[in-house]
Amino acid sequence: MIVGAAQVEITPAPGRELSGFAARTQPAVGVLDPLLARALYLADGPERLLWVHVDLIGLERDFVTEFRQWAAARYGLAPAQVMLSATHTHSGPPTIHLQEAGTYDASYVTSLSTRLQQVASAALAQPEECQVIRVEGHCDLAIDRRRRPSAHTDPRVAAVGWRRADGTFAAVLTNYAMHGVALGAGNRQISADVPGQVAHAVTRQLPGRPVALVTNGACANLNPPAENVPFSQIQAWGEQIAGAVVPALRRAAPEPGAGLRVRARIVPLPIERLSLEEIEAAARRALDEESAFPEWGARYRRAVEKWRQTMSQAVRDGTASDTREVELSAVRIGGALFLGLNAEVFSTFTDQVRSAAGGAAYTVGYANGLLGYLPTAAAYDEGGYEVETAHYFYNSFRVRRAGFELVVQHAAALAREMVP
């Protein structure tokens, strides 16, 4: 398989806000470790893929569309052949529109676009023939943060490596499901959090110092064992996750005949569009519960008020939609299927898609945009932040019950189409 890989630093200067926590004092006052953008270019006959992965909380859908337009004009790549994904670190600049959790940084996003074009061009400029090495490890680090009857975790650590004839690695792609929140709301320093340390360990421990894309899985309900931990702890956790696959990558034989296949599918996701009266009632209920969230203070009230204003205006204008787009991006590399989607999806998603695929399948969350949480039907019965509160911060109507199950059906069908 032909592979090209490159990376570039995208760390902003301290003084900018950080994204992901309402209960955070702004702005950033320093840098713990650099943020990077990494690009992976794959080619196998007519199949091509440009995958750009960033140490950020996520990317807006419009940003993805504009980047794909650039890739089409510059390199002739179709939209399905371009994937943009994020680690979902909560210690990076605000690159998505979250209310009261870091103000969207338009100037940073503008500069980011240029940097991503640069790293993509660098990856495309240095293609080389490599063997594909595929392994799967096990790590019990992540916990189900909801602690409800439907609790579920995903201990799989996936890794695909591209190894040269001399035994060195050009690139490695890994996947593990765990929220990038280990440093916690108390942290005011820029950091790639645990995924950054996994990437550092993989690069350092493998010959050739490969470019390492550490992607996040279906982790909407999964957190690290603790938050507000010191940097030394995230370094240790990064080593632990990397240790689940690095030794196997070193000794594994190449996968014979490993090819590439790329497909995409758009799924209209039903949204719980409310009437004006229902919006008012929901906002009142939410504000009555303000005392239950003392860590958010006035930011919670402002987020709810902004939600009420925005949603009411959309209903009056007739712009409130009944659906939103979920993009399923399927990438098969040899015997491994990576399925990206633009949502925070619960961890059982991977198990269900894997059953349909009949083999190694992994979810890549925060890919090609970020529309918010995609909870299971069981989560609607149980309640919790992901179902009852998160949509106020995302400033959107929430997904209808059974939306998760609908996306699973489409993902399973796509997975079956991707079987060689």
Side-chain angles (χ1 to χ4, degrees):
M1 186 179 296
I2 300 297
V3 59
Q7 64 185 34
V8 65
E9 186 170 345
I10 56 171
T11 312
R16 295 178 183 267
E17 293 192 0
L18 298 175
S19 184
F21 289 111
R24 169 183 268 147
T25 301
Q26 300 282 10
V29 296
V31 178
L32 280 174
D33 56 303
L35 308 183
L36 297 178
R38 299 170 173 91
L40 178 69
Y41 173 67
L42 303 177
D44 177 39
E47 294 281 5
R48 294 196 294 165
L49 174 69
L50 172 61
W51 190 336
V52 179
H53 186 61
V54 292
D55 290 329
L56 296 169
I57 193 165
L59 297 168
E60 291 286 353
R61 186 73 170 159
D62 288 346
F63 182 95
V64 176
T65 299
E66 291 173 6
F67 184 84
R68 284 172 162 172
Q69 290 170 346
W70 168 84
R74 183 70 179 270
Y75 296 108
L77 294 168
Q81 294 175 316
V82 180
M83 173 119 77
L84 273 70
S85 57
T87 61
H88 200 55
T89 176
H90 282 46
S91 293
T95 50
I96 59 173
H97 289 85
L98 282 180
Q99 302 302 311
E100 301 297 329
T103 304
Y104 181 77
D105 195 332
S107 64
Y108 175 81
V109 171
T110 298
S111 65
L112 177 68
S113 178
T114 301
R115 298 297 276 167
L116 298 196
Q117 291 174 15
Q118 291 171 346
V119 75
S121 295
L124 281 149
Q126 47 190 6
E128 52 186 322
E129 184 78 35
C130 287
Q131 299 172 321
V132 175
I133 312 295
R134 181 172 63 89
V135 301
E136 180 178 287
H138 184 101
C139 180
D140 285 318
L141 187 61
I143 63 169
D144 189 308
R145 69 185 187 187
R146 290 169 47 78
R147 305 183 188 279
R148 304 294 174 94
S150 66
H152 176 273
T153 61
D154 184 356
R156 304 180 189 96
V157 185
V160 177
W162 285 268
R163 193 166 64 194
R164 304 180 180 97
D166 65 1
T168 62
F169 284 81
V172 174
L173 170 67
T174 72
N175 180 266
Y176 183 65
M178 188 173 77
H179 247 82
V181 296
L183 289 170
N187 173 57
R188 293 184 62 190
Q189 299 196 75
I190 295 164
S191 174
D193 209 278
V194 174
Q197 294 308 304
V198 178
H200 177 70
V202 170
T203 297
R204 177 173 48 82
Q205 294 175 22
L206 287 174
R209 298 189 61 83
V211 173
L213 284 71
V214 178
T215 62
N216 213 331
C219 70
N221 55 307
L222 302 182
N223 268 18
E227 295 183 38
N228 297 300
V229 301
F231 187 66
S232 59
Q233 182 62 77
I234 74 165
Q235 288 177 309
W237 286 340
E239 294 278 349
Q240 181 179 344
I241 297 169
V245 290
V246 166
L249 283 170
R250 286 202 200 99
R251 63 176 180 264
E255 183 172 1
L260 173 70
R261 193 176 187 195
V262 180
R263 299 291 183 272
R265 175 175 296 178
I266 299 296
V267 179
L269 181 67
I271 299 299
E272 194 177 75
R273 187 178 66 167
L274 305 179
S275 67
L276 289 173
E277 294 76 15
E278 290 169 330
I279 292 169
E280 288 297 319
R284 284 196 300 270
R285 286 194 303 271
L287 293 173
D288 287 343
E289 297 173 356
E290 181 179 359
S291 60
F293 308 109
E295 70 275 17
W296 293 332
R299 292 174 179 172
Y300 174 72
R301 173 172 288 274
R302 290 198 298 267
V304 174
E305 293 286 6
K306 179 67 174 179
W307 176 87
R308 171 162 51 187
Q309 175 187 351
T310 306
M311 297 302 102
S312 296
Q313 191 62 50
V315 170
R316 293 191 191 97
D317 294 345
T319 57
S321 175
D322 291 325
T323 62
R324 294 185 70 184
E325 281 189 355
V326 168
E327 179 178 352
L328 297 172
S329 298
V331 178
R332 179 168 286 282
I333 303 167
L337 174 66
F338 294 89
L339 190 66
L341 74 167
N342 53 320
E344 300 201 60
V345 62
F346 277 48
S347 59
T348 58
F349 184 88
T350 306
D351 281 358
Q352 296 183 50
V353 173
R354 178 172 275 229
S355 296
Y362 311 95
T363 303
V364 179
Y366 317 101
N368 300 321
L370 181 52
L371 59 80
Y373 279 90
L374 187 55
T376 61
Y380 281 81
D381 295 331
E382 297 167 344
Y385 168 79
E386 302 85 356
V387 176
E388 298 170 333
T389 311
H391 59 286
Y392 297 125
F393 293 102
Y394 272 104
N395 200 21
S396 63
F397 289 128
R398 68 179 185 174
V399 175
R400 281 195 179 277
R401 181 191 177 94
F404 174 95
E405 288 71 24
L406 173 66
V407 176
V408 166
Q409 291 176 15
H410 284 275
L414 181 58
R416 286 190 289 269
E417 291 176 15
M418 298 293 287
V419 174

